Amino acid sequence: MIIMKAIVLENTCKAEDLKVSEIDMPQVKDDWVLVKIIGFGINRSEVILRDYKADEPYINLPVVPGIECVGEIVDESNTDFSKGDMIVALMGGMGRSFDGSYAEYALLPEKNVFKIPDVAFNHLTMEEIIAVPETYFTAYGSISTLNLTKKDTLLVRGATSATGLTAMQLASAIGCKIIATSRSEDRFEKLKRYGADECIVDDGDLSSQVLSNKILELIGPKTLLDSLSLLEENGICCVTGVLGGIEYMDGFDPIKHLYNKYMTSFFSNFPTQEIIDEIFSFLVKNDIKPAIGKVYSSLEDIPKAHKLMESNNAQGKIIFRLI
């Protein structure tokens, strides 16, 4: 057997408990492809998995975490891919039901692997491509769910997150007005560089400060009721993130809180080649460069990356470029 390096999660633990192990390289099987990992992004869901979600019965422990990657096909099995194809892969059980991207190689199902369009390599660096898959898919889907137009005013709550910065880039290209929130005025300058027209300090209660007809709620249930109070009549609120650390909520009265308002969400578990192509084309057409907060180059740095994610201080996508 060929041995490779990987992070293996055996139970819930602290960030500093994540260690590099040597494990067998996965064996190829029909309808799955073997991918050499070039890089991957760190996601909030991976921190949640390590912190407490791994105790859930649907998590197939022990597991290599990581819900997204950029890589090269080294064994295409019986699929339509070819050896040497450059791909992105995301979701579909990666890092939960089967081993994900915190490794040198990953065996991934064909349905969740997508070719990177050639146009991407003419516009983006490899680090920027690595920053795209999950974050831009989530932001692009959320903006689409909001039916955003240039006539709208979009409030992005949790705007300094990677998804928040990305959503503002996309919304700015559409041409709407953007209001961004942050817990600190020190981050206003960066928010404006990524498209914010107006910035507001978020103390958890914005009900007396601003009204908007479109809201992207990235903090989640912790501030959702407050966000709904900011929503104009017939406005739409898309709930996509859980930056506030609370996944569920009590006291939600849909009759009261959604009177003449709409609430939706985006669930990033169903990517397609068509959407991946659309995202890269949108980035190229609008000359958008991903917001990267930190680049690591070794699996040994996974604990540092998780701690940075937990601190909410990355102000952009945390990525690993392994080769």
Side-chain angles (χ1 to χ4, degrees):
M1 294 292 293
I2 300 176
I3 302 300
M4 70 174 188
K5 293 181 178 180
I7 301 288
V8 180
L9 184 67
E10 297 185 352
N11 45 53
T12 56
C13 64
K14 297 179 180 179
E16 55 266 29
D17 295 326
L18 296 174
K19 307 295 183 183
V20 176
S21 301
E22 291 188 344
I23 63 174
D24 292 339
M25 183 182 295
Q27 296 296 299
V28 179
K29 57 185 177 180
D30 286 350
D31 303 321
W32 293 59
V33 295
L34 184 62
V35 175
K36 183 175 181 61
I37 305 295
I38 294 174
F40 56 84
I42 299 294
N43 296 278
R44 181 74 52 175
S45 63
E46 295 152 8
V47 173
I48 291 173
L49 174 72
R50 189 257 311 150
D51 191 32
Y52 63 86
K53 209 76 163 183
D55 289 334
E56 297 292 338
Y58 64 86
I59 304 298
N60 189 25
L61 296 179
V63 69
V64 175
I67 65 171
E68 65 171 319
C69 72
V70 168
E72 178 183 353
I73 302 289
V74 294
D75 194 323
E76 70 276 21
S77 185
N78 65 325
T79 70
D80 291 331
F81 289 100
S82 299
K83 185 176 181 179
D85 282 346
M86 300 295 291
I87 61 89
V88 299
L90 62 157
M91 301 302 287
M94 279 184 70
R96 292 186 177 95
S97 301
F98 55 88
D99 287 344
S101 59
Y102 288 17
E104 294 179 306
Y105 293 86
L107 185 65
L108 305 172
E110 179 183 19
K111 66 183 180 65
N112 287 90
V113 179
F114 311 99
K115 290 183 182 180
I116 302 172
D118 291 340
V119 67
F121 297 103
N122 298 326
H123 177 72
L124 302 171
T125 66
M126 183 55 70
E127 285 81 5
E128 289 167 341
I129 291 173
I130 291 169
V132 169
E134 173 63 13
T135 297
Y136 276 82
F137 180 49
T138 300
Y140 190 82
S142 299
I143 292 299
S144 299
T145 300
L146 283 168
N147 296 321
L148 199 64
T149 72
K150 63 181 180 181
K151 296 180 180 180
D152 291 324
T153 296
L154 173 67
L155 172 66
V156 181
R157 198 152 194 184
T160 55
S161 66
T163 302
L165 295 173
T166 299
M168 289 195 298
Q169 288 179 307
L170 303 179
S172 181
I174 291 171
C176 68
K177 179 181 178 181
I178 301 171
I179 303 172
T181 75
S182 172
R183 292 176 299 173
S184 171
E185 289 187 16
D186 294 341
R187 299 179 178 180
F188 284 5
E189 182 178 347
K190 182 166 187 175
L191 292 175
K192 290 180 179 179
R193 289 203 308 269
Y194 281 87
D197 298 293
E198 181 180 341
C199 299
I200 298 174
V201 173
D202 193 345
D203 62 358
D205 181 2
L206 301 181
S207 57
S208 63
Q209 296 193 51
V210 61
L211 285 176
S212 177
N213 71 323
K214 301 287 174 71
I215 297 176
L216 178 56
E217 173 58 85
L218 298 174
I219 298 175
K222 185 175 182 178
T223 55
L224 177 56
L225 295 185
D226 187 57
S227 289
L228 290 175
S229 74
L230 311 175
L231 200 58
E232 295 177 356
E233 186 172 329
N234 295 318
I236 305 173
C237 177
C238 177
V239 186
T240 299
V242 289
L243 294 173
I246 298 174
E247 294 187 64
Y248 309 101
M249 63 186 296
D250 296 320
F252 176 62
D253 180 349
I255 295 177
K256 173 184 177 182
H257 295 121
L258 291 179
Y259 177 69
N260 281 343
K261 300 175 182 180
Y262 299 90
M263 185 171 72
T264 185
S265 66
F266 182 74
F267 183 41
S268 61
N269 211 36
F270 304 103
T272 66
Q273 184 68 61
E274 180 181 8
I275 294 176
I276 296 300
D277 289 345
E278 284 181 13
I279 291 170
F280 278 111
S281 294
F282 191 92
L283 298 184
V284 172
K285 179 181 178 182
N286 294 285
D287 193 26
I288 293 174
K289 303 286 188 177
I292 297 176
K294 180 71 175 180
V295 180
Y296 294 101
S297 60
S298 170
L299 292 173
E300 300 281 355
D301 290 324
I302 289 289
K304 294 179 183 177
H306 272 233
K307 288 180 179 179
L308 179 57
M309 173 67 77
E310 288 177 314
S311 74
N312 292 324
N313 287 321
Q315 298 187 56
K317 186 73 172 181
I318 305 168
I319 69 166
F320 278 73
R321 171 81 187 271
L322 300 184
I323 59 175

